[in-house]
Amino acid sequence: MDWRNFLENIGEWFNIFIDWYLDQPLYGQVLVIIGIIAVLALTVTLVYYIIKGIAYLIYYIIKGIFYLLKYIGYGIFRVFEGFYLLVSGKSKSQTQNDSQHIPDNNPKDLPISLEFCSECGKHINKKMKNYLETNGFVFCVNCGIMIRIDQGIQPLSISH
């Protein structure tokens, strides 16, 4: 490709456009400028989203490859661990650390199921939690169901 001819052709087309532009009335010139700005804005937006999409594509491909290699390595580790346990005759519980933390049953630490009423779905407020911690049971202020620490949430049974 001859660059000199290419640049001359661009110069000719630019001169033709300028002559056409100057022949237009004032409102036509303003509309042409607005159109050029709109086309440039759309082009910049399109280029931005294309680059963003390519970046996301590369990120998720790399992330997928990472997880694939991670779990292949984890699988190989589990296979060798199984062979080790088979050859040594040990069980998996013997090889684990015996000093693992065992949570204690402290009534101050309410289970997640006791944070909300299973009947009405309302959050248990602080006053209800305090009463539950001291007495071991509480009634939901919204629906009246009995909530107990030891048995979770149970329906209220009133016998006459």
Side-chain angles (χ1 to χ4, degrees), residues 95-125:
T95 59
Q96 291 178 347
N97 190 0
D98 293 332
S99 65
Q100 294 177 350
H101 176 68
I102 299 172
D104 55 346
N105 287 337
N106 187 358
K108 299 285 185 196
D109 301 327
L110 294 176
I112 265 304
S113 63
L114 294 178
E115 292 291 323
F116 296 93
C117 178
S118 66
E119 192 70 26
C120 63
K122 298 289 184 178
H123 194 275
I124 297 174
N125 58 28

PDB file of all heavy atoms in Angstrom, residues 95-125:
ATOM      1  N   THR A  95      -5.150 -40.065  62.170  1.00  0.00           N
ATOM      2  CA  THR A  95      -4.167 -39.161  61.591  1.00  0.00           C
ATOM      3  C   THR A  95      -4.516 -37.700  61.825  1.00  0.00           C
ATOM      4  O   THR A  95      -3.656 -36.838  61.702  1.00  0.00           O
ATOM      5  CB  THR A  95      -4.047 -39.405  60.075  1.00  0.00           C
ATOM      6  OG1 THR A  95      -5.322 -39.193  59.473  1.00  0.00           O
ATOM      7  CG2 THR A  95      -3.545 -40.799  59.790  1.00  0.00           C
ATOM      8  N   GLN A  96      -5.770 -37.406  62.151  1.00  0.00           N
ATOM      9  CA  GLN A  96      -6.161 -36.024  62.400  1.00  0.00           C
ATOM     10  C   GLN A  96      -5.676 -35.578  63.766  1.00  0.00           C
ATOM     11  O   GLN A  96      -5.463 -36.384  64.665  1.00  0.00           O
ATOM     12  CB  GLN A  96      -7.678 -35.860  62.297  1.00  0.00           C
ATOM     13  CG  GLN A  96      -8.202 -36.032  60.895  1.00  0.00           C
ATOM     14  CD  GLN A  96      -9.713 -35.913  60.850  1.00  0.00           C
ATOM     15  OE1 GLN A  96     -10.354 -35.947  61.875  1.00  0.00           O
ATOM     16  NE2 GLN A  96     -10.250 -35.784  59.640  1.00  0.00           N
ATOM     17  N   ASN A  97      -5.544 -34.285  63.929  1.00  0.00           N
ATOM     18  CA  ASN A  97      -5.090 -33.711  65.190  1.00  0.00           C
ATOM     19  C   ASN A  97      -6.187 -33.851  66.238  1.00  0.00           C
ATOM     20  O   ASN A  97      -7.337 -33.491  66.009  1.00  0.00           O
ATOM     21  CB  ASN A  97      -4.743 -32.235  64.972  1.00  0.00           C
ATOM     22  CG  ASN A  97      -4.039 -31.644  66.163  1.00  0.00           C
ATOM     23  OD1 ASN A  97      -3.810 -32.330  67.159  1.00  0.00           O
ATOM     24  ND2 ASN A  97      -3.692 -30.385  66.063  1.00  0.00           N
ATOM     25  N   ASP A  98      -5.837 -34.390  67.407  1.00  0.00           N
ATOM     26  CA  ASP A  98      -6.826 -34.592  68.459  1.00  0.00           C
ATOM     27  C   ASP A  98      -7.123 -33.322  69.241  1.00  0.00           C
ATOM     28  O   ASP A  98      -8.017 -33.306  70.085  1.00  0.00           O
ATOM     29  CB  ASP A  98      -6.345 -35.685  69.430  1.00  0.00           C
ATOM     30  CG  ASP A  98      -6.306 -37.053  68.764  1.00  0.00           C
ATOM     31  OD1 ASP A  98      -7.115 -37.257  67.822  1.00  0.00           O
ATOM     32  OD2 ASP A  98      -5.491 -37.896  69.181  1.00  0.00           O
ATOM     33  N   SER A  99      -6.360 -32.290  69.026  1.00  0.00           N
ATOM     34  CA  SER A  99      -6.564 -31.059  69.794  1.00  0.00           C
ATOM     35  C   SER A  99      -7.467 -30.075  69.058  1.00  0.00           C
ATOM     36  O   SER A  99      -7.263 -28.883  69.130  1.00  0.00           O
ATOM     37  CB  SER A  99      -5.215 -30.400  70.088  1.00  0.00           C
ATOM     38  OG  SER A  99      -4.634 -29.984  68.869  1.00  0.00           O
ATOM     39  N   GLN A 100      -8.462 -30.585  68.342  1.00  0.00           N
ATOM     40  CA  GLN A 100      -9.400 -29.703  67.652  1.00  0.00           C
ATOM     41  C   GLN A 100     -10.320 -29.061  68.672  1.00  0.00           C
ATOM     42  O   GLN A 100     -10.623 -29.632  69.703  1.00  0.00           O
ATOM     43  CB  GLN A 100     -10.213 -30.479  66.622  1.00  0.00           C
ATOM     44  CG  GLN A 100      -9.380 -30.999  65.481  1.00  0.00           C
ATOM     45  CD  GLN A 100     -10.230 -31.814  64.526  1.00  0.00           C
ATOM     46  OE1 GLN A 100     -11.358 -32.126  64.821  1.00  0.00           O
ATOM     47  NE2 GLN A 100      -9.653 -32.156  63.394  1.00  0.00           N
ATOM     48  N   HIS A 101     -10.763 -27.871  68.343  1.00  0.00           N
ATOM     49  CA  HIS A 101     -11.638 -27.119  69.235  1.00  0.00           C
ATOM     50  C   HIS A 101     -13.044 -27.722  69.209  1.00  0.00           C
ATOM     51  O   HIS A 101     -13.654 -27.829  68.157  1.00  0.00           O
ATOM     52  CB  HIS A 101     -11.696 -25.651  68.820  1.00  0.00           C
ATOM     53  CG  HIS A 101     -12.653 -24.841  69.627  1.00  0.00           C
ATOM     54  ND1 HIS A 101     -12.455 -24.569  70.956  1.00  0.00           N
ATOM     55  CD2 HIS A 101     -13.824 -24.254  69.292  1.00  0.00           C
ATOM     56  CE1 HIS A 101     -13.460 -23.846  71.404  1.00  0.00           C
ATOM     57  NE2 HIS A 101     -14.312 -23.644  70.400  1.00  0.00           N
ATOM     58  N   ILE A 102     -13.543 -28.086  70.365  1.00  0.00           N
ATOM     59  CA  ILE A 102     -14.899 -28.606  70.490  1.00  0.00           C
ATOM     60  C   ILE A 102     -15.736 -27.512  71.121  1.00  0.00           C
ATOM     61  O   ILE A 102     -15.455 -27.067  72.237  1.00  0.00           O
ATOM     62  CB  ILE A 102     -14.932 -29.882  71.361  1.00  0.00           C
ATOM     63  CG1 ILE A 102     -14.066 -30.963  70.718  1.00  0.00           C
ATOM     64  CG2 ILE A 102     -16.359 -30.345  71.563  1.00  0.00           C
ATOM     65  CD1 ILE A 102     -13.870 -32.177  71.568  1.00  0.00           C
ATOM     66  N   PRO A 103     -16.786 -27.031  70.420  1.00  0.00           N
ATOM     67  CA  PRO A 103     -17.590 -25.952  70.998  1.00  0.00           C
ATOM     68  C   PRO A 103     -18.372 -26.433  72.204  1.00  0.00           C
ATOM     69  O   PRO A 103     -18.860 -27.557  72.250  1.00  0.00           O
ATOM     70  CB  PRO A 103     -18.522 -25.560  69.848  1.00  0.00           C
ATOM     71  CG  PRO A 103     -18.601 -26.765  68.976  1.00  0.00           C
ATOM     72  CD  PRO A 103     -17.276 -27.466  69.127  1.00  0.00           C
ATOM     73  N   ASP A 104     -18.448 -25.561  73.211  1.00  0.00           N
ATOM     74  CA  ASP A 104     -19.207 -25.906  74.406  1.00  0.00           C
ATOM     75  C   ASP A 104     -20.643 -25.422  74.243  1.00  0.00           C
ATOM     76  O   ASP A 104     -20.943 -24.561  73.447  1.00  0.00           O
ATOM     77  CB  ASP A 104     -18.574 -25.289  75.656  1.00  0.00           C
ATOM     78  CG  ASP A 104     -18.416 -23.790  75.526  1.00  0.00           C
ATOM     79  OD1 ASP A 104     -18.533 -23.277  74.398  1.00  0.00           O
ATOM     80  OD2 ASP A 104     -18.167 -23.145  76.558  1.00  0.00           O
ATOM     81  N   ASN A 105     -21.545 -26.002  75.009  1.00  0.00           N
ATOM     82  CA  ASN A 105     -22.954 -25.627  74.949  1.00  0.00           C
ATOM     83  C   ASN A 105     -23.204 -24.488  75.920  1.00  0.00           C
ATOM     84  O   ASN A 105     -23.626 -24.693  77.043  1.00  0.00           O
ATOM     85  CB  ASN A 105     -23.857 -26.818  75.273  1.00  0.00           C
ATOM     86  CG  ASN A 105     -23.881 -27.818  74.156  1.00  0.00           C
ATOM     87  OD1 ASN A 105     -23.591 -27.452  73.023  1.00  0.00           O
ATOM     88  ND2 ASN A 105     -24.207 -29.058  74.456  1.00  0.00           N
ATOM     89  N   ASN A 106     -22.914 -23.301  75.476  1.00  0.00           N
ATOM     90  CA  ASN A 106     -23.135 -22.106  76.272  1.00  0.00           C
ATOM     91  C   ASN A 106     -24.467 -21.502  75.849  1.00  0.00           C
ATOM     92  O   ASN A 106     -24.660 -21.203  74.681  1.00  0.00           O
ATOM     93  CB  ASN A 106     -21.991 -21.108  76.037  1.00  0.00           C
ATOM     94  CG  ASN A 106     -22.070 -19.923  76.971  1.00  0.00           C
ATOM     95  OD1 ASN A 106     -23.004 -19.822  77.777  1.00  0.00           O
ATOM     96  ND2 ASN A 106     -21.112 -19.034  76.862  1.00  0.00           N
ATOM     97  N   PRO A 107     -25.399 -21.325  76.781  1.00  0.00           N
ATOM     98  CA  PRO A 107     -26.686 -20.773  76.377  1.00  0.00           C
ATOM     99  C   PRO A 107     -26.592 -19.343  75.876  1.00  0.00           C
ATOM    100  O   PRO A 107     -27.511 -18.845  75.267  1.00  0.00           O
ATOM    101  CB  PRO A 107     -27.539 -20.865  77.645  1.00  0.00           C
ATOM    102  CG  PRO A 107     -26.590 -21.006  78.770  1.00  0.00           C
ATOM    103  CD  PRO A 107     -25.365 -21.648  78.196  1.00  0.00           C
ATOM    104  N   LYS A 108     -25.477 -18.643  76.140  1.00  0.00           N
ATOM    105  CA  LYS A 108     -25.316 -17.277  75.639  1.00  0.00           C
ATOM    106  C   LYS A 108     -25.157 -17.273  74.118  1.00  0.00           C
ATOM    107  O   LYS A 108     -25.495 -16.303  73.471  1.00  0.00           O
ATOM    108  CB  LYS A 108     -24.081 -16.611  76.275  1.00  0.00           C
ATOM    109  CG  LYS A 108     -24.167 -16.487  77.771  1.00  0.00           C
ATOM    110  CD  LYS A 108     -25.104 -15.390  78.161  1.00  0.00           C
ATOM    111  CE  LYS A 108     -25.075 -15.204  79.674  1.00  0.00           C
ATOM    112  NZ  LYS A 108     -26.181 -14.460  80.152  1.00  0.00           N
ATOM    113  N   ASP A 109     -24.590 -18.362  73.555  1.00  0.00           N
ATOM    114  CA  ASP A 109     -24.420 -18.467  72.109  1.00  0.00           C
ATOM    115  C   ASP A 109     -25.633 -19.180  71.542  1.00  0.00           C
ATOM    116  O   ASP A 109     -25.702 -20.394  71.521  1.00  0.00           O
ATOM    117  CB  ASP A 109     -23.146 -19.239  71.770  1.00  0.00           C
ATOM    118  CG  ASP A 109     -21.911 -18.575  72.357  1.00  0.00           C
ATOM    119  OD1 ASP A 109     -21.913 -17.338  72.440  1.00  0.00           O
ATOM    120  OD2 ASP A 109     -20.973 -19.302  72.719  1.00  0.00           O
ATOM    121  N   LEU A 110     -26.578 -18.408  71.066  1.00  0.00           N
ATOM    122  CA  LEU A 110     -27.796 -18.995  70.534  1.00  0.00           C
ATOM    123  C   LEU A 110     -27.527 -19.576  69.152  1.00  0.00           C
ATOM    124  O   LEU A 110     -26.806 -18.991  68.360  1.00  0.00           O
ATOM    125  CB  LEU A 110     -28.897 -17.939  70.431  1.00  0.00           C
ATOM    126  CG  LEU A 110     -29.398 -17.383  71.754  1.00  0.00           C
ATOM    127  CD1 LEU A 110     -30.418 -16.288  71.476  1.00  0.00           C
ATOM    128  CD2 LEU A 110     -30.024 -18.474  72.580  1.00  0.00           C
ATOM    129  N   PRO A 111     -28.112 -20.731  68.842  1.00  0.00           N
ATOM    130  CA  PRO A 111     -27.971 -21.249  67.490  1.00  0.00           C
ATOM    131  C   PRO A 111     -28.644 -20.322  66.485  1.00  0.00           C
ATOM    132  O   PRO A 111     -29.520 -19.549  66.833  1.00  0.00           O
ATOM    133  CB  PRO A 111     -28.670 -22.614  67.533  1.00  0.00           C
ATOM    134  CG  PRO A 111     -29.076 -22.843  68.934  1.00  0.00           C
ATOM    135  CD  PRO A 111     -28.846 -21.607  69.711  1.00  0.00           C
ATOM    136  N   ILE A 112     -28.222 -20.479  65.236  1.00  0.00           N
ATOM    137  CA  ILE A 112     -28.773 -19.625  64.180  1.00  0.00           C
ATOM    138  C   ILE A 112     -30.281 -19.804  64.076  1.00  0.00           C
ATOM    139  O   ILE A 112     -30.999 -18.883  63.758  1.00  0.00           O
ATOM    140  CB  ILE A 112     -28.087 -19.992  62.849  1.00  0.00           C
ATOM    141  CG1 ILE A 112     -26.934 -19.129  62.540  1.00  0.00           C
ATOM    142  CG2 ILE A 112     -29.015 -19.987  61.677  1.00  0.00           C
ATOM    143  CD1 ILE A 112     -26.843 -17.755  62.432  1.00  0.00           C
ATOM    144  N   SER A 113     -30.793 -21.019  64.347  1.00  0.00           N
ATOM    145  CA  SER A 113     -32.227 -21.257  64.213  1.00  0.00           C
ATOM    146  C   SER A 113     -33.018 -20.491  65.258  1.00  0.00           C
ATOM    147  O   SER A 113     -34.227 -20.356  65.125  1.00  0.00           O
ATOM    148  CB  SER A 113     -32.526 -22.753  64.328  1.00  0.00           C
ATOM    149  OG  SER A 113     -32.156 -23.209  65.613  1.00  0.00           O
ATOM    150  N   LEU A 114     -32.367 -20.000  66.313  1.00  0.00           N
ATOM    151  CA  LEU A 114     -33.074 -19.258  67.344  1.00  0.00           C
ATOM    152  C   LEU A 114     -32.945 -17.749  67.150  1.00  0.00           C
ATOM    153  O   LEU A 114     -33.269 -16.992  68.048  1.00  0.00           O
ATOM    154  CB  LEU A 114     -32.563 -19.657  68.731  1.00  0.00           C
ATOM    155  CG  LEU A 114     -32.854 -21.100  69.126  1.00  0.00           C
ATOM    156  CD1 LEU A 114     -32.268 -21.388  70.493  1.00  0.00           C
ATOM    157  CD2 LEU A 114     -34.328 -21.387  69.113  1.00  0.00           C
ATOM    158  N   GLU A 115     -32.465 -17.301  66.013  1.00  0.00           N
ATOM    159  CA  GLU A 115     -32.376 -15.875  65.732  1.00  0.00           C
ATOM    160  C   GLU A 115     -33.681 -15.352  65.140  1.00  0.00           C
ATOM    161  O   GLU A 115     -33.994 -14.190  65.257  1.00  0.00           O
ATOM    162  CB  GLU A 115     -31.222 -15.585  64.771  1.00  0.00           C
ATOM    163  CG  GLU A 115     -29.858 -15.820  65.373  1.00  0.00           C
ATOM    164  CD  GLU A 115     -29.500 -14.822  66.445  1.00  0.00           C
ATOM    165  OE1 GLU A 115     -29.854 -13.637  66.305  1.00  0.00           O
ATOM    166  OE2 GLU A 115     -28.873 -15.226  67.429  1.00  0.00           O
ATOM    167  N   PHE A 116     -34.421 -16.236  64.467  1.00  0.00           N
ATOM    168  CA  PHE A 116     -35.675 -15.848  63.837  1.00  0.00           C
ATOM    169  C   PHE A 116     -36.747 -16.862  64.214  1.00  0.00           C
ATOM    170  O   PHE A 116     -36.461 -18.033  64.422  1.00  0.00           O
ATOM    171  CB  PHE A 116     -35.536 -15.822  62.307  1.00  0.00           C
ATOM    172  CG  PHE A 116     -34.561 -14.803  61.819  1.00  0.00           C
ATOM    173  CD1 PHE A 116     -33.244 -15.137  61.590  1.00  0.00           C
ATOM    174  CD2 PHE A 116     -34.960 -13.501  61.601  1.00  0.00           C
ATOM    175  CE1 PHE A 116     -32.345 -14.206  61.142  1.00  0.00           C
ATOM    176  CE2 PHE A 116     -34.071 -12.554  61.151  1.00  0.00           C
ATOM    177  CZ  PHE A 116     -32.759 -12.901  60.927  1.00  0.00           C
ATOM    178  N   CYS A 117     -37.972 -16.420  64.283  1.00  0.00           N
ATOM    179  CA  CYS A 117     -39.096 -17.304  64.563  1.00  0.00           C
ATOM    180  C   CYS A 117     -39.413 -18.090  63.298  1.00  0.00           C
ATOM    181  O   CYS A 117     -39.536 -17.513  62.213  1.00  0.00           O
ATOM    182  CB  CYS A 117     -40.307 -16.490  65.014  1.00  0.00           C
ATOM    183  SG  CYS A 117     -41.758 -17.502  65.329  1.00  0.00           S
ATOM    184  N   SER A 118     -39.552 -19.408  63.426  1.00  0.00           N
ATOM    185  CA  SER A 118     -39.827 -20.224  62.239  1.00  0.00           C
ATOM    186  C   SER A 118     -41.272 -20.096  61.792  1.00  0.00           C
ATOM    187  O   SER A 118     -41.595 -20.404  60.648  1.00  0.00           O
ATOM    188  CB  SER A 118     -39.511 -21.689  62.530  1.00  0.00           C
ATOM    189  OG  SER A 118     -40.415 -22.181  63.504  1.00  0.00           O
ATOM    190  N   GLU A 119     -42.136 -19.643  62.663  1.00  0.00           N
ATOM    191  CA  GLU A 119     -43.548 -19.522  62.310  1.00  0.00           C
ATOM    192  C   GLU A 119     -43.824 -18.236  61.529  1.00  0.00           C
ATOM    193  O   GLU A 119     -44.408 -18.260  60.464  1.00  0.00           O
ATOM    194  CB  GLU A 119     -44.393 -19.556  63.587  1.00  0.00           C
ATOM    195  CG  GLU A 119     -45.864 -19.717  63.347  1.00  0.00           C
ATOM    196  CD  GLU A 119     -46.228 -21.106  62.832  1.00  0.00           C
ATOM    197  OE1 GLU A 119     -45.503 -22.066  63.101  1.00  0.00           O
ATOM    198  OE2 GLU A 119     -47.253 -21.196  62.156  1.00  0.00           O
ATOM    199  N   CYS A 120     -43.397 -17.095  62.090  1.00  0.00           N
ATOM    200  CA  CYS A 120     -43.712 -15.819  61.447  1.00  0.00           C
ATOM    201  C   CYS A 120     -42.500 -15.190  60.753  1.00  0.00           C
ATOM    202  O   CYS A 120     -42.649 -14.270  59.964  1.00  0.00           O
ATOM    203  CB  CYS A 120     -44.283 -14.834  62.469  1.00  0.00           C
ATOM    204  SG  CYS A 120     -43.135 -14.391  63.782  1.00  0.00           S
ATOM    205  N   GLY A 121     -41.288 -15.652  61.043  1.00  0.00           N
ATOM    206  CA  GLY A 121     -40.098 -15.149  60.386  1.00  0.00           C
ATOM    207  C   GLY A 121     -39.552 -13.857  60.950  1.00  0.00           C
ATOM    208  O   GLY A 121     -38.607 -13.302  60.424  1.00  0.00           O
ATOM    209  N   LYS A 122     -40.125 -13.357  62.024  1.00  0.00           N
ATOM    210  CA  LYS A 122     -39.662 -12.103  62.616  1.00  0.00           C
ATOM    211  C   LYS A 122     -38.405 -12.355  63.440  1.00  0.00           C
ATOM    212  O   LYS A 122     -38.194 -13.428  64.005  1.00  0.00           O
ATOM    213  CB  LYS A 122     -40.743 -11.492  63.519  1.00  0.00           C
ATOM    214  CG  LYS A 122     -42.011 -11.132  62.793  1.00  0.00           C
ATOM    215  CD  LYS A 122     -41.797  -9.947  61.908  1.00  0.00           C
ATOM    216  CE  LYS A 122     -43.109  -9.547  61.264  1.00  0.00           C
ATOM    217  NZ  LYS A 122     -43.035  -8.414  60.432  1.00  0.00           N
ATOM    218  N   HIS A 123     -37.551 -11.342  63.521  1.00  0.00           N
ATOM    219  CA  HIS A 123     -36.301 -11.422  64.274  1.00  0.00           C
ATOM    220  C   HIS A 123     -36.607 -11.397  65.773  1.00  0.00           C
ATOM    221  O   HIS A 123     -37.478 -10.663  66.220  1.00  0.00           O
ATOM    222  CB  HIS A 123     -35.400 -10.248  63.894  1.00  0.00           C
ATOM    223  CG  HIS A 123     -33.986 -10.425  64.346  1.00  0.00           C
ATOM    224  ND1 HIS A 123     -33.570 -10.091  65.594  1.00  0.00           N
ATOM    225  CD2 HIS A 123     -32.911 -10.928  63.698  1.00  0.00           C
ATOM    226  CE1 HIS A 123     -32.289 -10.358  65.712  1.00  0.00           C
ATOM    227  NE2 HIS A 123     -31.868 -10.865  64.574  1.00  0.00           N
ATOM    228  N   ILE A 124     -35.889 -12.206  66.529  1.00  0.00           N
ATOM    229  CA  ILE A 124     -36.058 -12.237  67.984  1.00  0.00           C
ATOM    230  C   ILE A 124     -35.274 -11.069  68.564  1.00  0.00           C
ATOM    231  O   ILE A 124     -34.065 -10.971  68.365  1.00  0.00           O
ATOM    232  CB  ILE A 124     -35.585 -13.583  68.559  1.00  0.00           C
ATOM    233  CG1 ILE A 124     -36.450 -14.716  68.001  1.00  0.00           C
ATOM    234  CG2 ILE A 124     -35.600 -13.569  70.066  1.00  0.00           C
ATOM    235  CD1 ILE A 124     -35.989 -16.091  68.393  1.00  0.00           C
ATOM    236  N   ASN A 125     -35.945 -10.187  69.300  1.00  0.00           N
ATOM    237  CA  ASN A 125     -35.288  -8.980  69.807  1.00  0.00           C
ATOM    238  C   ASN A 125     -34.444  -9.293  71.047  1.00  0.00           C
ATOM    239  O   ASN A 125     -34.434 -10.412  71.566  1.00  0.00           O
ATOM    240  CB  ASN A 125     -36.315  -7.881  70.087  1.00  0.00           C
ATOM    241  CG  ASN A 125     -37.369  -8.302  71.088  1.00  0.00           C
ATOM    242  OD1 ASN A 125     -37.114  -9.133  71.940  1.00  0.00           O
ATOM    243  ND2 ASN A 125     -38.552  -7.717  70.978  1.00  0.00           N
TER     244      ASN A 125
END
